[in-house]
Amino acid sequence: MMVTSFIRHLSFTKRNISIPADYRPLYKIGHVVLVLFLACRSNKASLMKLHFLCWAIKSQRNLLQVQQWLKNDFRSDFHIWGVEPTVNRALIYAVAEGFVSLNDGGYSLTAHGITLYKLMKKDKELFKEEKAFLENIGKNGISEQRIKDLSSKFL
Amino acid sequence: MLHLNALRLEINTTNGLYGTTITFESGLNIIRANNTSGKSTVFQSILYALGFEELIGLKNDKTMQSVLKDVVIDGESNFQVIQSSISLEIFNGQEIITVKRSVVNEKRKPQLIDVTFGPQLTKSDDTYELRQMYVHDKGAASDEIYGFHAFLEEFLNWKLPDVIDTNGNSTKLYMPLIAPAFIIEQKSGWSSFFATIPWYGVKNSEERVIEFLLNLDVFQNEQSRISLNINKRLLQEKWTILFDDFQNLAEKGNAEVAGLEAFPVIINNINEIYFRIFRNDRYFLVPDLIEELTDEFDQLNQQTEITVGENLEKNRIRLNMLNDNLLKIDFRYQQLSDELLHEKEKFRQYIQQRKSVQEDLDKNKSAEKMLKLGGDVHAQVANNLCPTCGQGINDSLLPEGVDQVPMQISDNINFLSSQYKMLEAFISSQRSKIKEKDNILAEYNNRLGEIRQEIRNIKRDLVSDDRLPSEELIERKINTKRLVNFYVEFLERIESLRKRLFLLSEEWEKLKQREADLSGDFFSVLDREKIKLLQDSFLQLLKAFNYQSKDKNAIKISTDKYLPVIEVRLPNEKPKSYDIRFDSSGSDHIRCMWAYYVALLETSMKLGGNHPKLLIFDEPQQQSASTTDFKAFLKELSINEGAQSIVFASFQNSIKDFEEATEGLKFNKIESNGRFVQKVEI
């Protein structure tokens, strides 16, 4: 006689997945706050500029590329940079939380957002490289016009 | 001992001098005052003068109340502070000194402390010696001339021990770590034992503090453990150097070391560490190789007596064989080169992956910090709630349509860390794989060179004078002789290295044994007695203070943390203990704190500990503990001869409560007439 055993029951558990830190709301909000405070005149920027600088501090590679561009006085060719949906979603949250406010086409940091920045500033290790990079650019380092010129190449 | 004689606040304002002077007695002092009278200012001033303000939170003047920094309120008017300082007169049983520290003073940093060698507050005199010291800077705890805490240590006749920090290095048991054992602050001091202990990177600092206060011999063992750790580290260094020596020697002899670990281990059989050499497609041990080479040499020796003519046929056969070998080895060489290239590429990829995981890990750590900061500023997203509609979101910026639940950040970090570890393991195994293949490749390369040389020599022989001895054979003979000599010497050097290794291994074994000895029960008889007394007085006090929550037989003082725990027996008869906090009601928790801090003092006084014989409690009547029980607590403090206790209490702002709680007790009453800080008439 043949003995056959049947699998009577199978179950699968859906595990939580690992996602890149870029997809964490507060992480991205942190980037937005840093960009606005450190590299934007009167803590205010257009969406395009926010996208550009958030893309720049997204990875070591982007960072080096932008640094090179700055070093060459904006002359070197900039091949491509990314506009990321995460930045848009983070901005929605940031506005809803009252860190950032949206007025006449630009995003600016609110008092609440500045409070968050101050907390972030206290932790010297937090976003160390991002901070150094953005501080180096400074509030007047990259103007809106520069961003317009850059993006007009793609549009 | 450390007793306070008097405290003086001096605040210069735009309306002249304000301030107060309070004198303390030995025994119980009660500072009774209503909530807005500046009681906390007096309490914090004591901490500040002693350089212990970290117990309230921050260092230096940042912690201080606004009355000392900004504005003095007098009736309806506010006056700006232009200069302020705090003086405290303290007594160690023999000498009296006065310390003075500025809060607001343009010319003086708050780190500076003036120490006057005399009772400046109670018996002012300008002939006392004055020395300037400082706190909270590098050296404040160790600089014997200028460091205030180093000075205070000597003044209290303490010998603060060295302890181990979280990096395993030796560091001092800083004085601000000890203060929370006898000064209990109102806002967070009552939440748990030693709640306000500052972070100095000292491992298990609470335990070390209690060991010091009770002067437990365990500390001595802790010292031995420190020195043991240092010795272990030294030995590890020696081992690493020796390990490198082994590797270098192996490289010289085209050999590999087998059985040797890069970190110290106990070696039982030194023969398990050996060298092997890859030659002619197989591995040789060094003695075997010497034998093999000697045999070859003997054979060649016989052959060289024969002339070229006689050798003709033999040479022809050997030439064919060599050509065959050349092809074979050359083929393997090519194959192995390809493999090696492949392995190196894999290695490079692993390194690349590790780098990106590292970057990811760093970013995740930032994300974790941001999540915490978000919580600090009450961002809804930090609690996974949508800030607009309040519905749950899952801590991600994934588009809504994506039906995936991301890991929590902490899980994600663990996940990445384990990936990182895995890659580390891959990389190290890949590294050794490459090294092994490199060695074999080098050996093939040598061998190819040798064969080509031999072929050339045979060819030359085949065309030379028939009557001469073979040149090829002679050369091979010389080479072989040289190799034999080399490996004989090699073997000697291996032996001397192995001897050194064995000595280190023995030393390591001794260290491990000492380590095992230290990990056992290392309380001395007196230690046991002290812990027993601590437990007994603790329980007795609990009873006196009317503790109800738990059966008192189940309450023990834990021998590893020295804190009260509840011990229960599990069904399998194993004892299990847990923090007493979890099973006590709020007011019983406060009774535990009263009892514990007093028991520490009493135990230390009875059995020769280092307790400063000073207890300062800020608003101890927390969690609506009843007045009767509070009275029992005050009574306990008032009968402790030789100790000083200072209690700050509002008695629910009620004179009646105060009189009830203190009826029949002996104590020094300190009251404010309105506010403590008042205009000083000169």
Side-chain angles (χ1 to χ4, degrees):
Chain A
M1 208 186 90
M2 217 170 80
V3 182
T4 323
S5 68
F6 292 99
I7 295 171
R8 297 196 187 282
H9 179 72
L10 266 180
S11 75
F12 295 91
T13 314
K14 187 169 172 180
R15 300 275 175 213
N16 297 347
I17 57 161
S18 158
I19 58 170
D22 284 295
Y23 280 91
R24 303 289 183 186
L26 276 159
Y27 180 83
K28 256 306 173 240
I29 291 175
H31 272 183
V32 168
V33 169
L34 282 182
V35 166
L36 286 174
F37 193 93
L38 294 173
C40 296
R41 207 177 294 171
S42 55
N43 301 343
K44 187 174 172 183
S46 67
L47 182 62
M48 218 31 138
K49 182 167 178 183
L50 268 176
H51 266 298
F52 176 71
L53 286 172
C54 282
W55 173 83
I57 55 178
K58 192 188 161 202
S59 74
Q60 194 65 35
R61 228 180 107 156
N62 298 355
L63 208 76
L64 289 174
Q65 224 176 326
V66 176
Q67 257 163 1
Q68 196 58 40
W69 182 61
L70 292 172
K71 218 165 126 192
N72 293 340
D73 241 351
F74 312 105
R75 274 195 294 272
S76 60
D77 253 354
F78 218 84
H79 291 296
I80 199 87
W81 50 277
V83 172
E84 274 179 69
T86 52
V87 176
N88 289 337
R89 293 195 200 101
L91 276 171
I92 293 172
Y93 282 137
V95 170
E97 292 282 6
F99 293 131
V100 170
S101 69
L102 176 62
N103 31 32
D104 34 286
Y107 288 88
S108 55
L109 214 52
T110 63
H112 194 41
I114 291 174
T115 317
L116 180 61
Y117 169 76
K118 281 185 181 151
L119 285 175
M120 287 162 65
K121 192 183 171 193
K122 257 191 213 157
D123 189 334
K124 296 270 181 283
E125 288 305 309
L126 176 63
F127 295 136
K128 199 172 175 182
E129 282 179 40
E130 286 95 328
K131 281 179 196 160
F133 170 76
L134 293 169
E135 269 165 15
N136 193 27
I137 291 180
K139 283 187 169 295
N140 299 320
I142 300 180
S143 66
E144 290 290 349
Q145 189 55 42
R146 187 78 65 194
I147 298 290
K148 235 180 226 169
D149 293 348
L150 189 65
S151 54
S152 67
K153 288 184 193 164
F154 306 111
L155 296 175
Chain B
M1 67 183 237
L2 170 62
H3 280 189
L4 312 185
N5 281 0
L7 174 79
R8 176 175 296 160
L9 311 186
E10 285 171 292
I11 307 167
N12 293 90
T13 71
T14 45
N15 188 38
L17 180 64
Y18 280 74
T20 185
T21 303
I22 296 172
T23 49
F24 303 100
E25 312 265 315
S26 169
L28 174 62
N29 296 267
I30 298 179
I31 301 186
R32 198 214 75 78
N34 291 349
N35 281 336
T36 52
S37 57
K39 199 158 36 75
S40 295
T41 306
V42 175
F43 173 79
Q44 292 182 5
S45 297
I46 295 175
L47 290 187
Y48 188 78
L50 293 170
F52 293 158
E53 69 273 17
E54 278 163 278
L55 268 59
I56 325 167
L58 298 162
K59 285 183 193 169
N60 299 328
D61 52 329
K62 291 178 214 117
T63 45
M64 297 312 287
Q65 302 262 350
S66 65
V67 64
L68 282 153
K69 276 194 311 195
D70 308 320
V71 173
V72 172
I73 302 170
D74 187 358
E76 298 292 303
S77 331
N78 291 353
F79 301 107
Q80 203 193 329
V81 175
I82 49 181
Q83 184 177 307
S84 61
S85 68
I86 296 164
S87 306
L88 183 68
E89 193 179 299
I90 56 178
F91 178 51
N92 67 358
Q94 274 140 13
E95 287 169 83
I96 297 175
I97 58 166
T98 308
V99 297
K100 181 173 176 181
R101 191 172 172 200
S102 291
V103 183
V104 175
N105 188 329
E106 208 180 317
K107 292 269 151 46
R108 292 173 59 98
K109 284 187 178 169
Q111 283 95 327
L112 272 177
I113 290 195
D114 279 341
V115 175
T116 310
F117 290 81
Q120 189 69 272
L121 297 185
T122 49
K123 199 164 159 277
S124 177
D125 194 331
D126 55 10
T127 59
Y128 300 136
E129 189 200 339
L130 180 122
R131 245 200 271 161
Q132 283 200 336
M133 305 184 191
Y134 59 90
V135 281
H136 301 316
D137 274 335
K138 210 162 159 276
S142 54
D143 189 323
E144 277 163 24
I145 301 171
Y146 299 111
F148 177 63
H149 281 155
F151 165 78
L152 196 59
E153 176 184 345
E154 204 188 306
F155 181 71
L156 297 180
N157 201 11
W158 275 356
K159 191 89 201 76
L160 290 178
D162 285 339
V163 289
I164 306 176
D165 71 9
T166 40
N167 296 327
N169 298 320
S170 170
T171 176
K172 204 167 179 131
L173 186 70
Y174 296 108
M175 213 169 251
L177 290 171
I178 303 173
F182 59 93
I183 303 177
I184 289 79
E185 189 263 336
Q186 166 185 2
K187 281 182 204 116
S188 48
W190 297 102
S191 60
S192 63
F193 296 105
F194 296 91
T196 52
I197 199 160
W199 173 247
Y200 275 89
V202 172
K203 248 180 165 176
N204 304 334
S205 38
E206 294 91 337
E207 290 150 40
R208 301 292 92 78
V209 167
I210 301 168
E211 282 163 4
F212 170 72
L213 287 179
L214 296 181
N215 198 12
L216 296 186
D217 295 327
V218 154
F219 230 120
Q220 205 47 52
N221 289 330
E222 193 62 35
Q223 292 294 336
S224 323
R225 204 179 305 185
I226 294 175
S227 85
L228 180 76
N229 275 342
I230 294 169
N231 282 338
K232 267 172 82 177
R233 205 168 315 144
L234 282 178
L235 194 133
Q236 252 154 23
E237 274 164 28
K238 278 193 209 158
W239 188 284
T240 313
I241 293 171
L242 191 57
F243 181 81
D244 288 346
D245 286 352
F246 266 91
Q247 298 296 348
N248 288 340
L249 185 62
E251 217 162 278
K252 268 184 209 148
N254 274 326
E256 284 170 32
V257 193
L260 181 61
E261 307 271 349
F263 298 101
V265 285
I266 300 172
I267 299 169
N268 292 320
N269 181 0
I270 193 68
N271 290 329
E272 282 167 12
I273 316 268
Y274 58 89
F275 284 68
R276 58 180 191 179
I277 294 152
F278 189 74
R279 189 181 145 91
N280 292 343
D281 271 349
R282 53 173 281 227
Y283 282 107
F284 287 90
L285 294 179
V286 182
D288 296 346
L289 183 70
I290 292 175
E291 203 174 313
E292 170 99 0
L293 287 170
T294 316
D295 282 354
E296 260 177 51
F297 176 75
D298 288 345
Q299 268 176 27
L300 288 169
N301 220 3
Q302 284 168 13
Q303 285 169 13
T304 39
E305 286 159 14
I306 306 164
T307 58
V308 175
E310 292 166 88
N311 232 349
L312 204 58
E313 190 52 27
K314 231 181 190 169
N315 268 344
R316 207 170 283 140
I317 296 168
R318 183 152 177 85
L319 187 61
N320 281 338
M321 195 194 82
L322 284 175
N323 273 327
D324 264 8
N325 264 350
L326 187 65
L327 282 176
K328 241 193 274 177
I329 293 177
D330 195 41
F331 176 70
R332 275 192 222 137
Y333 180 81
Q334 294 301 339
Q335 220 175 12
L336 198 65
S337 302
D338 286 351
E339 274 174 39
L340 193 61
L341 213 61
H342 185 70
E343 301 287 6
K344 280 185 177 160
E345 174 58 21
K346 222 159 139 189
F347 183 71
R348 203 187 57 80
Q349 279 173 9
Y350 285 150
I351 298 271
Q352 196 62 36
Q353 272 182 41
R354 184 177 63 174
K355 203 176 140 203
S356 78
V357 168
Q358 177 68 57
E359 198 179 332
D360 220 13
L361 201 56
D362 289 345
K363 286 167 89 176
N364 265 287
K365 282 183 183 155
S366 296
E368 192 180 34
K369 282 182 179 170
M370 281 307 297
L371 195 65
K372 201 196 142 287
L373 291 187
D376 290 349
V377 295
H378 305 292
Q380 295 286 322
V381 277
N383 302 322
N384 278 339
L385 293 174
C386 169
T388 309
C389 64
Q391 295 204 43
I393 53 171
N394 55 17
D395 193 21
S396 88
L397 291 171
L398 292 167
E400 251 168 73
V402 177
D403 182 25
Q404 288 287 6
V405 182
M407 290 181 187
Q408 303 226 318
I409 289 191
S410 52
D411 292 340
N412 214 337
I413 288 177
N414 288 341
F415 173 77
L416 287 171
S417 306
S418 49
Q419 270 203 338
Y420 187 82
K421 273 184 206 140
M422 190 179 75
L423 283 167
E424 291 263 83
F426 281 178
I427 286 170
S428 93
S429 88
Q430 195 64 17
R431 190 174 281 137
S432 51
K433 216 188 242 173
I434 289 175
K435 190 160 188 235
E436 196 184 316
K437 292 209 163 150
D438 257 341
N439 279 345
I440 297 179
L441 203 65
E443 163 62 22
Y444 278 157
N445 205 8
N446 278 346
R447 189 77 194 117
L448 282 174
E450 278 168 31
I451 292 176
R452 290 200 180 102
Q453 180 64 39
E454 210 175 316
I455 289 175
R456 265 199 299 279
N457 288 344
I458 290 180
K459 281 185 176 160
R460 202 183 312 143
D461 268 7
L462 285 173
V463 294
S464 67
D465 191 331
D466 277 2
R467 287 157 303 180
L468 291 175
S470 158
E471 211 175 297
E472 185 268 332
L473 282 179
I474 292 170
E475 190 165 336
R476 250 167 72 195
K477 194 174 120 183
I478 293 168
N479 273 339
T480 314
K481 183 71 198 165
R482 199 178 49 77
L483 273 181
V484 170
N485 288 339
F486 175 81
Y487 280 109
V488 168
E489 198 195 326
F490 189 66
L491 200 59
E492 280 167 14
R493 287 169 70 182
I494 292 175
E495 277 320 307
S496 94
L497 277 188
R498 289 217 287 204
K499 249 179 227 151
R500 273 166 62 197
L501 185 70
F502 197 61
L503 286 178
L504 277 190
S505 154
E506 279 179 338
E507 218 176 297
W508 182 250
E509 189 170 1
K510 271 184 213 143
L511 288 179
K512 291 303 275 185
Q513 267 165 6
R514 254 178 69 202
E515 194 175 30
D517 289 345
L518 281 174
S519 68
D521 182 8
F522 44 86
F523 289 114
S524 69
V525 180
L526 188 57
D527 284 357
R528 293 252 168 235
E529 204 180 316
K530 284 173 182 169
I531 294 168
K532 175 85 173 46
L533 182 63
L534 181 64
Q535 180 169 317
D536 289 349
S537 23
F538 177 68
L539 287 174
Q540 203 188 334
L541 291 168
L542 276 189
K543 199 167 159 220
F545 301 160
N546 197 21
Y547 175 92
Q548 302 281 358
S549 292
K550 269 280 158 187
D551 175 13
K552 289 181 197 68
N553 292 325
I555 300 173
K556 301 261 180 305
I557 295 289
S558 122
T559 44
D560 49 331
K561 297 228 175 291
Y562 315 109
L563 290 175
V565 291
I566 309 270
E567 201 172 87
V568 288
R569 295 229 167 242
L570 297 175
N572 60 9
E573 282 297 298
K574 272 195 185 149
K576 180 179 165 35
S577 57
Y578 54 91
D579 197 326
I580 196 165
R581 230 178 340 152
F582 299 132
D583 239 359
S584 299
S585 67
S587 61
D588 268 346
H589 172 58
I590 297 303
R591 291 184 185 96
C592 277
M593 311 270 289
W594 294 348
Y596 185 72
Y597 290 119
V598 176
L600 258 186
L601 169 78
E602 289 179 354
T603 310
S604 164
M605 281 174 69
K606 272 190 200 130
L607 293 177
N610 289 316
H611 199 288
K613 297 175 191 162
L614 170 68
L615 286 172
I616 304 180
F617 294 105
D618 188 9
E619 209 61 85
Q621 197 179 4
Q622 301 257 330
Q623 298 282 356
S624 57
S626 80
T627 305
T628 339
D629 303 339
F630 189 46
K631 182 174 181 184
F633 170 59
L634 291 178
K635 187 174 167 211
E636 191 62 38
L637 293 177
S638 70
I639 55 173
N640 249 321
E641 299 255 334
Q644 184 184 42
S645 42
I646 301 172
V647 172
F648 293 78
S650 61
F651 296 89
Q652 278 103 16
N653 294 342
S654 142
I655 300 284
K656 188 171 150 281
D657 260 30
F658 167 68
E659 279 166 355
E660 228 172 89
T662 54
E663 196 195 335
L665 299 184
K666 185 173 165 249
F667 68 101
N668 172 32
K669 178 168 146 191
I670 299 163
E671 264 187 307
S672 72
N673 183 13
R675 288 173 192 279
F676 275 106
V677 173
Q678 291 193 344
K679 181 108 170 88
V680 179
E681 305 298 338
I682 309 167

